[in-house]
Amino acid sequence: MARLIAAPWASAPPTPSKPPPRNPPALPVEEPPPQFDTTPDLPEPFGYKVCWFAVRASDPAQVLDALGWASEGPANWRTGIAAAYRRVFDGQAPWVFASPPVDGWVLLVGGGLPYPAVYPEDRLEGIGQAFDVIFTRLKDHFGEAQFFGSHRVADFVTWARARRGEPGRQFCYAGSSGEVYANVGAQSAEEAALGFAVLSGLSPVDARDRLSDLLEDEFARESALVASGMSRRDAGRQVRPSGRSVMPGEEDVTALADAWSVDPTQLDEADRGYVPGVGLMARVPADLGQELVSPPPLR
């Protein structure tokens, strides 16, 4: 199973030894197996602190078949999405939910899905290679594959799109480390329309430095306006008229998902005309999964 690298504090100097507590805490154990309801229900919105693939398909079974993953049985939206967010411990395969089609797209949702990473050299201990395997299988089978994810605790955002015969696009950034883990391909027209920073052609390290410079400039302009007597709130509005910072956030991910395919945070909108449905559950294979998405800083 691809694993996240250890955070710096994991290798901190040992503290002086202390006597063990009278009643040491129990080691974490796997929660009871999730119970899946197979009663068809309307789409359940999601989109934050999780990752998902999007492919044009008419049946979730087609997606699992393309990946070669065994189905663990049917589940409706409510119980499937809940399992996709489920925490897993060492050695446990993460759950994924293959949704019923929405607007022609099947969404494969899971907190333990790998994500784009071409930097550092080990590609986050194999997470980048695991992502490539899944992404390539979906693109080759369906002609197009998309990927999105975010986790606000780590200021983590990622997106990717590939179409057969065309150059692909991948981006992955974690504000907690300040690192860009992937910046592959040219910025899409939709990214440009949303006002994302232009990072086309830059290596992950150069893209990181470019984002850092842009953020520093944004802060300097806001501070200058505040120093001139403007309120912090008004200064922020002038510097960021769209409400978005140069640093990408979770709302940028869902906005791009809306432009490319489906914004899953809007799945409960009454005027969408969605009908009740049932998806399929699966487990990410041991060599392709990872711990719940939230990349720590590099060593």
Side-chain angles (χ1 to χ4, degrees):
M1 177 178 289
R3 298 296 306 281
L4 292 176
I5 56 178
W9 53 83
S11 58
T15 56
S17 59
K18 297 179 181 179
R22 290 178 181 271
N23 297 301
L27 294 175
V29 296
E30 184 173 15
E31 301 174 26
Q35 300 298 309
F36 299 122
D37 188 346
T38 59
T39 305
D41 61 355
L42 290 171
E44 184 85 5
F46 67 91
Y48 305 123
K49 301 176 78 171
V50 74
C51 292
W52 70 97
F53 288 92
V55 294
R56 282 202 176 276
S58 59
D59 189 329
Q62 295 174 333
V63 177
L64 297 186
D65 289 346
L67 293 171
W69 297 0
S71 168
E72 296 285 341
N76 62 11
W77 280 93
R78 180 182 59 82
T79 54
I81 292 295
Y85 272 85
R86 189 181 177 90
R87 183 183 179 189
V88 296
F89 299 101
D90 285 351
Q92 299 170 1
W95 287 100
V96 290
F97 175 62
S99 78
V102 286
D103 296 331
W105 298 87
V106 168
L107 310 178
L108 185 69
V109 191
L113 289 168
Y115 47 83
V118 299
Y119 172 83
E121 187 175 348
D122 67 359
R123 304 188 68 183
L124 291 181
E125 298 188 355
I127 289 176
Q129 290 94 328
F131 171 81
D132 287 348
V133 170
I134 300 174
F135 201 48
T136 300
R137 287 178 185 173
L138 293 176
K139 180 205 66 172
D140 289 347
H141 187 88
F142 295 101
E144 178 178 356
Q146 301 177 8
F147 181 77
F148 309 92
S150 68
H151 197 291
R152 67 176 67 104
V153 175
D155 289 331
F156 169 82
V157 295
T158 182
W159 55 83
R161 181 172 68 177
R163 292 169 171 163
R164 190 183 297 133
E166 296 182 10
R169 172 68 173 137
Q170 297 181 18
F171 181 79
C172 184
Y173 168 79
S176 59
S177 63
E179 295 292 345
V180 171
Y181 297 111
N183 183 49
V184 177
Q187 183 187 58
S188 68
E190 295 82 1
E191 290 171 78
L194 289 168
F196 292 5
V198 179
L199 305 173
S200 299
L202 299 180
S203 69
V205 172
D206 289 341
R208 174 201 66 194
D209 292 344
R210 174 62 175 158
L211 282 173
S212 178
D213 290 344
L214 289 172
L215 183 62
E216 184 176 334
D217 178 67
E218 180 179 88
F219 179 75
R221 288 186 289 122
E222 183 175 346
S223 297
L225 291 172
V226 172
S228 71
M230 186 177 293
S231 70
R232 176 70 64 178
R233 186 176 187 179
D234 289 342
R237 287 175 174 172
Q238 182 165 324
V239 172
R240 295 178 291 276
S242 67
R244 289 192 173 100
S245 170
V246 295
M247 307 305 289
E250 61 185 3
E251 299 294 342
D252 296 310
V253 174
T254 56
L256 184 60
D258 185 48
W260 279 359
S261 52
V262 177
D263 177 0
T265 67
Q266 305 299 319
L267 289 177
D268 58 348
E269 290 188 349
D271 61 352
R272 296 269 178 158
Y274 295 137
V275 298
V278 173
L280 293 174
M281 299 306 304
R283 294 268 203 170
V284 181
D287 60 337
L288 296 178
Q290 56 121 20
E291 295 175 1
L292 193 66
V293 57
S294 183
L298 296 175
R299 291 189 183 92

